[in-house]
């Protein structure tokens, strides 16, 4: 496995290099101060990037977005100690798998790394809530009465079949309503829908 550690802080670069060499077998760890020090070929061969965001984040995240389009196996974890809402929005927009803002316990960090490497997403809940609320605040009035009913049922964690049974509509109709809700509220998935509804209570 090819891992790239990107940080302006030498302490993080050195610690993370040793950390990943101890954690994983058969691993090649590449360490860079900035993402722009890495060649395109190196990025295309990389399986996992841990990037410690400081300055010029837009350029770095755009590079990652471009590489992820070319390198489908690439997984990325962003560390952003500034907890910047705009950075987090870009992380979501570019499909980056993980985002953390603080130092966490070693066991929790290992769990997070394994989760991201397996292709699952891991973000901090409070930031998801902020982004979801800011995206959806002005769009709720766009929902029809039926879409509001479907959203309410969806927020209970029900699947499309269960929602259809509760509202006496077909599963196919529920799918159409769910798609419309996502589009109108500018949300990506059911988790964001649940967060949105829970914050409106």
């Amino acid at each position: 496995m090819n891992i790239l550690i990107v940080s302006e802080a030498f302490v993080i670069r050195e610690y993370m290099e040793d950390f990943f060499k101890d954690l994983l077998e058969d691993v090649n760890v590449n360490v860079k101060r900035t993402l722009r020090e890495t060649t395109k070929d190196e990025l295309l061969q990389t399986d996992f990037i841990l990037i410690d965001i400081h300055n010029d984040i837009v350029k770095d995240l755009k590079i990652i977005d471009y590489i992820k389009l070319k390198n489908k196996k690439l997984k990325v974890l962003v560390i952003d100690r500034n907890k910047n809402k705009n950075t987090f929005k870009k992380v979501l927009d570019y499909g980056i798998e993980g985002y953390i803002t603080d130092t966490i316990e070693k066991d929790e960090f290992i769990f997070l790394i394994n989760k991201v490497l397996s292709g699952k997403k891991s973000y901090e809940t409070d930031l998801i809530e902020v982004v979801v609320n800011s995206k959806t605040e002005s769009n709720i009035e766009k929902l029809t009465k039926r879409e509001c009913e479907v959203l309410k049922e969806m927020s209970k964690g029900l699947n499309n079949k269960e929602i259809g049974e509760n509202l006496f509509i077909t599963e196919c109709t529920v799918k159409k309503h769910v798609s419309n809700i996502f589009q109108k509220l500018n949300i990506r998935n059911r988790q964001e829908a649940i967060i949105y509804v829970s914050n409106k209570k």
Side-chain angles (χ1 to χ4, degrees):
M1 174 180 288
N2 294 320
I3 292 177
L4 173 63
I5 311 295
V6 181
S7 177
E8 291 180 5
F10 83 91
V11 173
I12 290 178
R13 290 195 307 268
E14 290 189 4
Y15 175 80
M16 285 299 167
E17 182 176 13
D18 291 340
F19 173 82
F20 279 105
K21 285 179 177 175
D22 289 342
L23 179 67
L24 302 168
E25 292 180 16
D26 194 27
V27 65
N28 176 38
V29 181
N30 192 2
V31 179
K32 300 287 183 183
R33 208 173 151 270
T34 69
L35 198 57
R36 289 173 299 288
E37 291 177 7
T38 312
T39 68
K40 182 180 172 183
D41 285 342
E42 285 176 320
L43 289 170
L44 290 173
Q45 297 302 314
T46 300
D47 300 294
F48 177 77
I49 297 175
L50 174 74
I51 180 164
D52 179 26
I53 293 284
H54 281 285
N55 302 314
D56 213 5
I57 59 107
V58 175
K59 281 185 182 175
D60 285 344
L61 294 179
K62 280 186 177 175
I63 292 170
I64 289 173
D65 182 44
Y66 172 77
I67 294 300
K68 280 179 76 61
L69 291 172
K70 305 283 184 186
N71 179 2
K72 301 295 182 189
K73 67 182 179 179
L74 178 63
K75 305 292 184 282
V76 182
L77 173 61
V78 169
I79 301 173
D80 176 19
R81 283 168 295 206
N82 294 325
K83 201 172 187 176
N84 186 303
K85 186 171 75 172
N86 292 325
T87 300
F88 181 63
K89 284 181 182 177
K90 292 287 185 192
V91 163
L92 292 177
D93 289 342
Y94 295 152
I96 290 171
E97 289 76 16
Y99 177 91
I100 57 174
T101 60
D102 229 330
T103 308
I104 55 180
E105 294 297 321
K106 184 176 180 180
D107 290 342
E108 190 180 348
F109 188 64
I110 291 171
F111 175 79
L112 175 63
I113 294 293
N114 288 324
K115 186 175 179 182
V116 168
L117 285 174
S118 71
K120 295 178 181 164
K121 309 276 187 190
S122 184
Y123 310 124
E124 294 191 9
T125 309
D126 60 332
L127 274 172
I128 293 174
E129 291 174 5
V130 168
V131 171
V132 169
N133 286 336
S134 67
K135 286 196 295 185
T136 58
E137 195 67 46
S138 61
N139 295 329
I140 189 67
E141 67 275 3
K142 294 180 182 178
L143 297 185
T144 65
K145 183 182 175 187
R146 180 59 93 184
E147 287 165 353
C148 286
E149 291 171 347
V150 170
L151 177 61
K152 185 178 176 183
E153 294 298 306
M154 199 186 338
S155 73
K156 298 173 184 174
L158 302 180
N159 62 35
N160 289 348
K161 185 178 179 185
E162 292 166 331
I163 293 170
E165 289 170 358
N166 286 356
L167 299 178
F168 304 103
I169 56 178
T170 67
E171 190 174 348
C172 182
T173 302
V174 174
K175 284 181 186 176
K176 288 178 184 173
H177 286 313
V178 169
S179 177
N180 289 340
I181 291 165
F182 287 174
Q183 185 178 9
K184 289 179 181 180
L185 295 184
N186 194 22
I187 57 179
R188 295 167 175 268
N189 53 45
R190 288 172 183 262
Q191 182 186 8
E192 289 189 4
I194 291 168
I195 290 167
Y196 173 75
V197 172
S198 68
N199 285 334
K200 291 298 172 189
K201 290 178 180 176

